[in-house]
Amino acid sequence: MKPSAKCPSIRRHRAMRAMACIAGLAMHPVASRAQAALPAVEVSAGETAPGSSLGLDLPSATGSRLGLAPRETPASVSSLGSADIAERNLARAQDVAVRFPGVTEAPAPGNGGTSLVARGFAGHNSVAQLVDGTRLVVASGTVTYPFSTWPFESVEVLRGPASVLFGDGAIGAAVNYITKKPRFDRTEREAFFSLGSFGTRQGGIGLRGPIKDTLAYSVYVDAGSSDGFRRFESYDRQNYALALAARPSSALKFTFSFDGGRNDDARYFGTPLLDGVLDSRLRRTNFNVDDSVVKYDDRMWRAKAEYQLGNGIQLRNELYHLASVRHWRNAEAYTFNRAGTRVGRSDYIEILHDQEQTGNRFDATFDGQLGGLKNRFVAGLDWYRTTLLHTNNSPYGGASTVDPFFFAPGHFTSPVPTLPGRHSTLETTALFAEDALELAPGWKLVAGLRSDRMRLDNNDLRTGARLSKTYSPVTGRIGAVWTPSDVVSFYGQYGTGTDPLSGALSLPNGGNSFDLTKGRQLEVGAKGSLPAIKGEWTLALYRIEKRNLLSRDASDPRITQQVGRQSSTGVELAMAAEPLPGWTVDANAALLRARYDDFNEVVAGRAVSRAGNIPVGVPERTANLWTAYRFQPRWQLGIGARYVGARQSNAANTARLPAYTVFDVSLAYEYSRSLDFSLAVKNLTDCDYAVSGTGNVRWLLGAPRTVQLTARARF
């Protein structure tokens, strides 16, 4: 959308990310010197595609630890800033991530509703999620924070193995949620309030700015609640991000922050299928029990210090502590009887997590020369310790039968008491280094290496059994970028990574004889600009192999081997542009071939090969589109579409979740410089679609059509 003197907020919207970048460089002298040592292609804010999810010339905190822009990073990096997140009415953190190429969702209440899929690999063990670069350790496949986009400056995604940057569990991708920080240069005050379908109410306030020359603050709080579109679908959430920054000198800065949220979440575990088909009469029925519970409480303290030591040397240290308390109590499995007249409920499950993660990350960055060539180097030490007390009522008994069309929820019953089950401790120490060397004009070599030492101790509180395992993975990445002109660059990269076989805080297959799974990726691609239409584009081709999956011995199913292999080969294309003044387009598509190459599954006590099958929950075709048109100085119409291809719902590939396309529209009106309104409709066609599921038995359905009216103010 072309800047207009009659529409100042739209003008601010376009340049916001570029301004934030420039302000950040001004506040951090080492960053500006780093850019001088390793110059990015100079592109003004006006030449960057408005609303772009690429941001090729904006320094990224996720693609590398060197502050490189995506254009000079030999990897696939995407980002979306806070103004664009608001324009698209994306209130949930993971709703932003699934707008990037090849990233989709695989949610369930048991995994916090936050699990993602990328490049053929699914789940929290393969797609890492971070807050400001801090890896959130996965407990039993679960991550429950963050969930609100209100405190975000941006969301960034690095696709492909990211273990060299963020450690274990990132073979598919790493998603980094970057929060808004205190500002010393100006004061910002903003607020929003919205009303929507099914009694949905949301609101928040954000304040940040200087207290005095050496002190600044930021306060972002929001809350939301809804009655839900089916029974037990209601939720009540509160979210907060508070920070105080002190700058006693131009070379030294401290930032203290406290983030977290409470989430009394929806208690929906899926809709049973009748003979493998969804009965439309049941799409608004929830088969959970009346006293069901899904609650999360997450809190994170952080203290960060940044010091400019001499010319071209910067030291950074961050100390943090994360505490998560989670509680589930639900009937989670529902199946029709053969006659289709009754639904059997089972898996009466109660689980509690008491998880704490304490860590410290230190790094030093050096800008200078190596053999007469411009060079930037970073090295550091990453340490964290995570503990989990897992309480449950295993082996999860309890059962009931209900009438699906005259449903009475009943209450939670279990023949097994809820007691502490195990206590796990994971302690990791890692050394990492990364370097960017300018080999010649237009040529850059980027390489990284990480060595971890991980010790997992698992104490079974019921049997007294204690097992330990030590892992020592070494992961790396090396790539080159060639920029023959100001409008195009080419890159190639080879990288490795590791994933846990099961949850990061549990031992695979109940024993300590197996190692981490290992992955490797080869990727080539190109990135460029289209100055005539203020456009940007990226193209990536890759192949990833993941080895050491658990597989059964074909001759004796009782014997488990670590010989399995899974692979994916794919292509991703993204483009953002302003083809005509006032009309913007942001689009991407991904195609891949994902397969189990060597994998045996035990069926009725017999090992059955699944080699050649598509992995569970992985779509091989995805696409996203967001286009906006300013048809009057104060009016803007936005239209979005998200396509997710069919996904297999079992390893035998005998059942699958159908493909779906969801359309969104929004109409925005700028009442004044400080107040605007938007009316958004999600799932415009009110289609029924499955976001995850279990075979031909049960689907977790996405939200129906919803309408939301939002007011946003700046004061």
Side-chain angles (χ1 to χ4, degrees):
M1 291 175 290
K2 188 176 180 180
S4 168
K6 296 181 180 180
C7 197
S9 72
I10 293 177
R11 182 175 66 249
R12 290 194 301 272
H13 164 81
R14 294 175 184 173
M16 185 172 293
R17 282 195 295 169
M19 291 172 62
C21 170
I22 294 168
L25 294 178
M27 290 167 58
H28 297 85
V30 65
S32 59
R33 277 192 289 274
Q35 296 305 309
L38 292 162
V41 177
E42 294 293 336
V43 178
S44 68
E47 293 174 318
T48 299
S52 170
S53 60
L54 301 177
L56 294 183
D57 299 292
L58 301 178
S60 168
T62 308
S64 78
R65 296 187 184 276
L66 297 167
L68 303 178
R71 190 188 297 270
E72 53 185 356
T73 303
S76 295
V77 184
S78 301
S79 65
L80 202 63
S82 58
D84 300 312
I85 292 171
E87 179 183 288
R88 304 183 194 194
N89 298 280
L90 304 176
R92 193 177 70 102
Q94 289 71 29
D95 286 343
V96 183
V98 300
R99 265 63 183 183
F100 298 124
V103 181
T104 56
E105 58 186 334
N111 62 39
T114 62
S115 180
L116 299 171
V117 182
R119 291 196 168 181
F121 300 92
H124 285 300
N125 290 333
S126 293
V127 182
Q129 299 190 51
L130 313 98
V131 176
D132 292 328
T134 296
R135 174 81 161 93
L136 305 178
V137 173
V138 181
S140 298
T142 301
V143 170
T144 52
Y145 180 81
F147 54 83
S148 169
T149 62
W150 178 240
F152 291 171
E153 192 75 70
S154 65
V155 176
E156 298 182 350
V157 174
L158 169 64
R159 297 185 298 284
S163 295
V164 66
L165 295 173
F166 307 115
D168 188 44
I171 281 179
V175 181
N176 194 10
Y177 304 107
I178 299 174
T179 60
K180 292 181 177 178
K181 308 298 190 301
R183 299 195 68 134
F184 287 91
D185 57 335
R186 68 170 185 264
T187 297
E188 294 180 356
R189 301 184 182 94
E190 55 185 331
F192 82 97
F193 180 74
S194 68
L195 294 173
S197 305
F198 312 108
T200 301
R201 302 163 294 277
Q202 294 177 311
I205 188 168
L207 311 169
R208 61 174 173 170
I211 298 174
K212 55 183 181 178
D213 290 344
T214 59
L215 204 61
Y217 75 99
S218 66
V219 176
Y220 283 83
V221 294
D222 64 285
S225 63
S226 177
D227 299 333
F229 40 85
R230 60 172 66 88
R231 191 199 301 245
F232 312 138
E233 194 84 21
S234 61
Y235 63 79
D236 188 5
R237 302 166 181 161
Q238 301 87 41
N239 187 70
Y240 49 87
L242 317 173
L244 183 67
R247 192 171 57 183
S249 71
S250 60
L252 182 62
K253 180 182 175 183
F254 299 99
T255 304
F256 306 93
S257 60
F258 179 47
D259 309 83
R262 296 175 60 89
N263 192 350
D264 190 347
D265 213 353
R267 297 160 284 161
Y268 168 61
F269 282 78
T271 300
L273 305 181
L274 181 57
D275 295 327
V277 177
L278 175 67
D279 188 325
S280 61
R281 295 173 296 175
L282 300 179
R283 63 178 186 157
R284 299 290 177 87
T285 303
N286 190 337
F287 287 89
N288 210 338
V289 293
D290 190 54
D291 52 347
S292 52
V293 172
V294 176
K295 290 185 177 181
Y296 315 126
D297 186 358
D298 299 274
R299 302 173 302 281
M300 177 184 283
W301 292 90
R302 289 179 289 168
K304 184 176 182 179
E306 302 166 89
Y307 182 55
Q308 182 67 40
L309 179 64
N311 194 16
I313 302 176
Q314 186 187 39
L315 306 179
R316 295 179 296 189
N317 193 84
E318 183 168 4
L319 176 68
Y320 64 89
H321 178 77
L322 171 68
S324 297
V325 178
R326 310 179 182 112
H327 185 193
W328 296 265
R329 186 179 65 231
N330 306 274
E332 299 187 10
Y334 325 119
T335 308
F336 267 100
N337 63 4
R338 291 187 177 181
T341 57
R342 307 285 290 181
V343 169
R345 300 190 299 187
S346 58
D347 290 356
Y348 278 63
I349 296 175
E350 183 168 30
I351 294 175
L352 295 95
H353 287 178
D354 292 283
Q355 181 179 356
E356 295 190 10
Q357 178 178 338
T358 302
N360 190 84
R361 185 172 59 253
F362 168 81
D363 65 62
T365 303
F366 305 88
D367 290 303
Q369 292 191 336
L370 180 64
L373 303 175
K374 293 180 180 179
N375 188 72
R376 191 175 199 204
F377 175 75
V378 61
L381 175 67
D382 190 4
W383 172 87
Y384 59 83
R385 185 176 188 270
T386 304
T387 62
L388 172 67
L389 175 61
H390 192 283
T391 302
N392 59 46
N393 65 327
S394 175
Y396 310 127
S400 62
T401 303
V402 295
D403 188 324
F405 304 106
F406 298 94
F407 175 65
H411 296 281
F412 184 89
T413 59
S414 173
V416 181
T418 301
L419 299 170
R422 63 182 174 90
H423 186 273
S424 301
T425 301
L426 174 65
E427 186 165 351
T428 297
T429 303
L431 294 172
F432 61 86
E434 193 175 3
D435 188 81
L437 178 66
E438 192 170 306
L439 295 172
W443 283 91
K444 190 177 275 85
L445 179 68
V446 180
L449 192 67
R450 180 183 176 106
S451 176
D452 287 83
R453 181 173 176 82
M454 310 160 61
R455 180 177 173 84
L456 175 61
D457 294 299
N458 190 81
N459 183 11
D460 191 316
L461 301 177
R462 297 177 184 174
T463 66
R466 296 187 178 185
L467 292 175
S468 297
K469 178 70 175 180
T470 299
Y471 308 98
S472 300
V474 176
T475 55
R477 180 177 72 175
I478 185 168
V481 181
W482 176 44
T483 308
S485 72
D486 289 347
V487 296
V488 66
S489 63
F490 301 92
Y491 71 91
Q493 178 220 118
Y494 176 79
T496 62
T498 60
D499 282 353
L501 280 168
S502 54
L505 281 163
S506 60
L507 287 166
N509 211 43
N512 60 352
S513 58
F514 302 106
D515 203 351
L516 304 171
T517 61
K518 298 178 180 179
R520 59 187 179 186
Q521 174 187 264
L522 180 64
E523 178 178 343
V524 296
K527 307 174 186 182
S529 303
L530 301 168
I533 56 173
K534 298 181 183 178
E536 300 176 316
W537 60 271
T538 64
L539 172 67
L541 298 92
Y542 65 87
R543 177 172 174 81
I544 305 177
E545 291 185 356
K546 183 176 177 178
R547 307 178 308 281
N548 292 348
L549 304 178
L550 290 184
S551 186
R552 303 289 179 177
D553 189 310
S555 61
D556 188 348
R558 296 172 297 177
I559 301 176
T560 302
Q561 306 176 90
Q562 198 170 20
V563 297
R565 187 174 72 250
Q566 178 183 338
S567 66
S568 62
T569 304
V571 57
E572 297 167 347
L573 176 65
M575 186 272 291
E578 187 179 18
L580 296 172
W583 174 35
T584 61
V585 178
D586 186 50
N588 61 69
L591 296 83
L592 66 88
R593 182 186 184 276
R595 292 293 184 271
Y596 292 124
D597 300 312
D598 183 2
F599 177 60
N600 292 324
E601 183 181 30
V602 174
V603 180
R606 184 172 61 92
V608 179
S609 174
R610 302 305 188 193
N613 287 2
I614 301 172
V616 174
V618 174
E620 295 190 296
R621 303 288 185 272
T622 62
N624 291 281
L625 169 69
W626 177 262
T627 181
Y629 178 62
R630 179 168 52 83
F631 58 91
Q632 290 290 334
R634 296 181 181 274
W635 290 89
Q636 178 178 289
L637 176 67
I639 300 174
R642 186 164 63 93
Y643 170 77
V644 177
R647 294 135 293 153
Q648 302 299 324
S649 55
N650 61 25
N653 286 187
T654 58
R656 69 176 191 170
L657 308 176
Y660 64 86
T661 304
V662 177
F663 296 94
D664 303 329
V665 297
S666 72
L667 181 64
Y669 172 66
E670 184 193 28
Y671 177 77
S672 68
R673 292 175 61 94
S674 59
L675 180 63
D676 54 68
F677 299 91
S678 67
L679 179 67
V681 182
K682 300 291 186 71
N683 191 1
L684 179 66
T685 60
D686 198 26
C687 75
D688 296 323
Y689 63 99
V691 293
S692 60
T694 305
N696 287 320
V697 178
R698 185 171 68 257
W699 288 353
L700 192 77
L701 299 176
R705 178 170 52 231
T706 57
V707 180
Q708 187 176 30
L709 177 64
T710 303
R712 296 182 181 273
R714 295 161 294 280
F715 52 94

